[in-house]
């Protein structure tokens, strides 16, 4: 006998104009600027990214929601347009922040306030995100391209700050990898589980195809501790499976993790023992140890995204370096 399900028609969605926003466009940083942040690994990565571009190898940047909230989308767009980052991948939270900033020039609500009121995530205009995914999936698009197309075609007032829209304009893959029930838009009555699954799985296959050209390339994960390493791991396994059958190897590439955990000075090239709680920090064992064990090289940068992403953009594009 089927179990009873929640009736979403009972929900009360309020207009975004009534929401208190924690962030607005004042967070946005210049696309290329010397912010004074220095880290030797960033210069190394800039060299590896330039070399990857010369060899037409993949350069992927995976990001979590806090990267968009740091206001560094203009920096990422600049690196995309210069051809340095060939694939951006993000979790659902990052996509929602990008979408809301393009739509209303603000994003981020107080979880503590609105969960107490039973209003967390339940804002009318944010539901347009689901319309975009539903329409795109119907047309055979992936999740990220669906959102980027919607932002562009509906001429969102702040679309110049949208990484998703930039991907659509520049025909560069910006993939979105979601877990059903993890994002506020899944609360909405117009969320279609079949379309969500179809679109994000299509993005996973786009991602796996990008991994096929990772030899001599660069993979970077900025602040995504679960989705980032897990999607990367499975996609790389698929790419290596096919490469093995074709007599090729995908082993000589560079990985880097940018996060807040105090790991600098540690031997990140070997996974910590299971007795160490940091064993469960997936970026370490997956991105910096296991997947580069056969010939790659990994790095770790401890820092906040508002410093590290502009620093990478500056290392690649500043003072005539492009």
């Amino acid at each position: 006998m089927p179990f009873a399900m929640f009736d979403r028609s009972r929900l009360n969605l309020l207009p975004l104009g009534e929401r208190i926003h924690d962030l607005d466009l004042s967070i946005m940083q210049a696309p290329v600027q010397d912010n004074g942040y220095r880290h030797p690994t960033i210069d190394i990565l800039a060299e590896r990214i330039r070399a990857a571009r010369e060899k037409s190898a993949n350069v992927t940047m995976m990001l979590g929601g806090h990267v968009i909230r740091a206001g560094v989308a203009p920096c990422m767009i600049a690196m995309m347009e210069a051809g340095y980052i060939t694939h951006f991948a993000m979790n659902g939270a990052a996509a929602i922040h990008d979408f809301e900033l393009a739509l209303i020039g603000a994003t981020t609500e107080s979880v503590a306030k609105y969960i107490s009121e039973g209003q967390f995530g339940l804002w009318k205009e944010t539901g347009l995100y689901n319309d975009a995914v539903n329409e795109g999936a119907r047309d055979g698009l992936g999740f990220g391209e669906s959102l980027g197309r919607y932002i562009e075609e509906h001429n969102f007032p702040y679309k110049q700050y949208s990484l998703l829209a930039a991907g659509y304009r520049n025909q560069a893959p910006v993939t979105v990898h979601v877990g059903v029930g993890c994002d506020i838009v899944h609360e909405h009555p117009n969320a279609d589980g079949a379309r969500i699954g179809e679109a994000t799985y299509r993005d996973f296959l786009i991602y796996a195809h990008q991994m096929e050209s990772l030899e001599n390339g660069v993979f970077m994960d900025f602040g995504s501790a679960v989705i980032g390493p897990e999607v990367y791991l499975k996609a790389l396994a698929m790419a290596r499976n096919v490469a093995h059958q074709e007599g090729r190897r995908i082993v000589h590439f560079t990985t880097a993790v940018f996060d807040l955990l105090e790991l600098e000075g540690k031997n990140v090239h070997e996974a910590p023992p299971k007795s160490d709680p940091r064993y469960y920090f997936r970026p370490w064992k997956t991105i910096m140890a296991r997947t580069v064990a056969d010939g790659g090289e990994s790095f770790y940068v401890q820092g906040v995204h508002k410093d590290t992403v502009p620093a990478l953009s500056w290392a690649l594009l500043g003072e005539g370096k492009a």
Side-chain angles (χ1 to χ4, degrees), residues 48 51-53 55-59 209-219 236 239-240 243 248-254 291 294-296:
R48 302 284 173 89
R53 187 173 71 164
K55 296 179 179 180
S56 298
N58 171 268
V59 179
H209 176 68
Q210 292 294 315
M211 292 297 101
E212 292 193 82
S213 57
L214 187 58
E215 179 74 3
N216 299 311
V218 180
F219 176 85
L236 180 60
R240 280 179 166 171
R248 298 182 293 108
R249 302 184 75 200
I250 305 174
V251 295
H252 303 104
F253 57 88
T254 302
T291 57
D294 299 315

Side-chain angles (χ1 to χ4, degrees), residues 97-110:
H97 290 311
D98 184 280
F99 190 88
E100 287 189 342
L101 283 164
L103 177 63
I104 63 168
T107 191
T108 307
E109 59 190 299
S110 168

Side-chain angles (χ1 to χ4, degrees), residues 63-117:
L63 56 132
H66 284 273
V67 179
I68 298 297
R69 290 171 55 172
V72 296
C75 304
M76 294 187 286
I77 293 169
M79 291 187 285
M80 172 197 290
E81 292 177 342
Y84 282 120
I85 310 297
T86 58
H87 170 217
F88 287 91
M90 62 177 72
N91 64 9
I96 291 168
H97 290 311
D98 184 280
F99 190 88
E100 287 189 342
L101 283 164
L103 177 63
I104 63 168
T107 191
T108 307
E109 59 190 299
S110 168
V111 178
K113 171 179 172 59
Y114 289 115
I115 194 61
S116 295
E117 299 175 6

Side-chain angles (χ1 to χ4, degrees), residues 105 154 234:
H154 288 78
K234 281 72 172 184

Side-chain angles (χ1 to χ4, degrees), residues 163-179:
L163 182 63
L164 291 161
Y168 182 75
R169 288 194 304 273
N170 291 280
Q171 297 184 318
V174 180
T175 56
V176 181
H177 307 274
V178 307

Side-chain angles (χ1 to χ4, degrees), residues 27 42 65 69 72 95 119 191 198 223-224 226 230 266 306 315:
I27 63 172
I42 289 179
R69 290 171 55 172
V72 296
Q119 202 61 50
E198 179 184 1
S224 181
V226 178
E230 292 302 323
K266 305 291 184 182
K306 69 179 182 64

